């Protein structure tokens, strides 16, 4: 997903390690995630720490400089939870993970988290790889994720980052390395996540790092991926939202959720265009697959579809949005050719 020259602010040693990692990885295109029948489950046995903190003051960056580099996150600043320094942290003998900020919207089911991972040994070993896309998917001007560096663990001892709920409930998620802030032994990571259809509102979330190659057994007897780092969030500031008259569509400042009213292929496969229509008639195009004008657009950070084929009773798709706006300026959402007027 990144070129080999995307680390100008890092040390030569760190740059060399990243280049070696990239050279050894297969290239993969970005795609919408669907919730599978059989999920890999995980649960931590380490002590979970509660998130306690305050929201950012108005006018200050909303806590996600990688996702909102242009300061377009102003509408969400008062809803971002920022733990007091040193309170939401877990560590093992190699690394220390701290939650810097969290934004979770239960109404649409979309969330953002900013993590800081410190290498305690100072040996410059980054505990994850960087996913590289095919060249044709890289650095596209209208595709947000094409310029981001996705983190993932593929080798024993490396880490995968995830968001969990209940004993072993999983959120769909994607975590990205902020290369402009990271150094050889400090890694700043931002993640977008979406709970699945079995998430119950009010259930606390946990942010975990799972070590590849190790497993553990939970109280239910399930064998799951080993969680080496874990911090928990028990409270958050709920975002406002708008809904369509039939209740099938919910829009917040970071999320869009839609439930299908008709049978057929999965809803996520039927949606070709998403636009937020403002009161002045202008549109913010969030996603367009290029069939209309030959130019693809994707202003979403992550998407998750779950429906009957994955064991759920409804056919639903959720998007984490990469553009924010004032809900007071929104009049509707256009899905393909259908306009859905919205109200609080």
């Amino acid at each position: 997903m990144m070129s080999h020259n995307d680390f100008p602010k890092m040390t030569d040693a760190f740059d060399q390690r990243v280049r070696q990692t990239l050279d050894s990885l297969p290239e993969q295109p970005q795609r919408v995630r669907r919730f599978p029948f059989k999920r890999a489950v995980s649960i931590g046995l380490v002590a979970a720490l509660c998130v306690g903190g305050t929201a950012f003051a108005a006018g200050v960056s909303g806590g996600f400089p990688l996702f909102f580099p242009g300061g377009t996150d102003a509408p969400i600043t008062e809803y971002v939870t920022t733990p007091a320094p040193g309170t939401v942290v877990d560590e093992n003998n190699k690394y220390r993970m701290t939650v810097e900020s969290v934004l979770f919207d239960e109404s649409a089911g979309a969330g953002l988290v900013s993590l800081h991972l410190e290498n305690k040994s100072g040996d410059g070993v980054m505990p994850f790889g960087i996913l590289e896309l095919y060249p044709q998917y890289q650095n596209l001007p209208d595709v947000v994720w094409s310029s981001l560096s996705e983190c993932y663990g593929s080798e024993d001892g490396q880490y995968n980052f995830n968001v969990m709920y209940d004993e072993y409930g999983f959120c769909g998620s994607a975590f990205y390395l902020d290369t402009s802030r990271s150094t050889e032994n400090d890694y700043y990571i931002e993640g977008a996540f979406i709970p699945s259809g079995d998430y119950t509102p009010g259930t606390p979330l946990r942010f975990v790092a799972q070590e590849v190659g190790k497993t553990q057994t939970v109280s239910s007897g399930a064998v799951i991926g080993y969680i080496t780092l874990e911090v928990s969030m028990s409270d958050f500031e709920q975002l406002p939202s708008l809904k369509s008259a039939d209740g099938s569509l919910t829009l917040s400042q970071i999320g869009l959720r839609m439930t299908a009213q008709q049978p057929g292929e999965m809803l996520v496969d039927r949606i070709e265009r998403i636009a937020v229509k403002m009161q002045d008639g202008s549109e913010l195009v969030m996603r367009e697959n290029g069939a209309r004008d030959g130019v693809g657009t994707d202003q979403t950070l992550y998407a998750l579809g779950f429906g009957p084929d994955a064991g759920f009773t409804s056919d639903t798709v959720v998007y984490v949005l990469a553009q924010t706006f004032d809900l007071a300026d929104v009049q509707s959402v256009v899905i393909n050719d259908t306009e859905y007027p919205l109200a609080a």
Side-chain angles (χ1 to χ4, degrees), residues 37-111:
F37 281 105
K38 297 180 180 179
R39 296 174 292 176
V41 293
S42 64
I43 180 70
L45 298 181
V46 294
L49 302 176
C50 292
V51 171
T54 58
F56 278 97
V60 180
S61 174
F64 307 99
L66 177 63
F67 288 162
F68 302 104
T72 56
D73 52 351
I76 64 175
T77 54
E78 62 181 294
Y79 303 103
V80 178
T81 299
T82 57
T87 60
V88 187
V89 59
D90 192 19
E91 60 185 304
N92 55 29
N93 62 334
K94 295 181 179 180
Y95 299 96
R96 180 183 298 111
M97 182 174 73
T98 303
V99 173
E100 293 193 319
S101 54
V102 178
L103 179 63
F104 181 47
D105 167 35
E106 277 194 331
S107 60

Side-chain angles (χ1 to χ4, degrees), residues 96-315:
R96 180 183 298 111
M97 182 174 73
T98 303
V99 173
E100 293 193 319
S101 54
V102 178
L103 179 63
F104 181 47
D105 167 35
E106 277 194 331
S107 60
L112 303 172
V113 59
S114 177
L115 305 173
H116 178 205
L117 190 69
E118 302 170 71
N119 185 333
K120 295 165 60 176
S121 67
D123 61 7
V125 176
M126 187 171 64
F128 49 83
I130 302 296
L131 183 66
E132 183 176 355
L133 299 184
Y134 290 115
Q136 61 266 34
Y137 291 101
Q138 296 179 16
N139 301 312
L140 302 176
D142 296 317
V143 180
V144 170
W145 48 260
S146 70
S147 60
L148 300 179
S149 305
E150 187 168 357
C151 309
Y152 80 108
S154 62
E155 302 177 0
D156 286 357
Q158 289 188 332
Y159 293 173
N160 280 310
F161 300 97
N162 283 299
V163 184
M164 297 179 60
Y165 53 93
D166 292 330
E167 187 178 35
Y168 50 79
F170 260 96
C171 297
S173 61
F175 285 80
Y176 300 98
L177 179 68
D178 187 339
T179 60
S180 66
R181 289 195 295 162
S182 298
T183 63
E184 187 174 4
N185 292 297
D186 284 273
Y187 321 113
Y188 292 88
I189 299 166
E190 293 182 26
F193 62 91
I194 299 171
S196 188
D198 58 359
Y199 174 79
T200 301
T203 303
L205 299 174
R206 304 192 304 283
F207 306 101
V208 304
Q210 296 176 268
E211 185 173 341
V212 177
K214 290 185 178 182
T215 61
Q216 61 190 72
T217 303
V218 297
S219 60
S220 65
V223 178
I224 50 83
Y226 179 72
I227 295 180
T228 183
L229 296 170
E230 175 180 358
V231 291
S232 292
M233 175 183 133
S234 60
D235 196 12
F236 54 88
E237 187 74 20
Q238 180 61 58
L239 279 165
S241 63
L242 302 175
K243 292 184 179 295
S244 61
D246 62 1
S248 65
L249 192 146
T250 300
L251 176 72
S252 75
Q253 290 160 318
I254 65 164
L256 174 67
R257 183 184 191 93
M258 186 175 185
T259 299
Q261 301 298 314
Q262 71 272 23
E265 63 180 334
M266 285 191 69
L267 179 61
V268 68
D269 295 321
R270 298 199 298 270
I271 295 179
E272 298 181 352
R273 185 176 188 271
I274 302 170
V276 178
K277 190 171 183 178
M278 314 307 285
Q279 296 287 354
D280 62 5
S282 61
E283 290 186 348
L284 293 176
V285 178
M286 295 297 178
R287 185 175 182 275
E288 191 164 31
N289 66 5
R292 296 164 185 252
D293 55 12
V295 178
T297 299
D298 193 350
Q299 296 298 310
T300 66
L301 292 166
Y302 188 75
L304 180 67
F306 43 90
D309 69 336
F312 296 99
T313 57
S314 63
D315 187 359

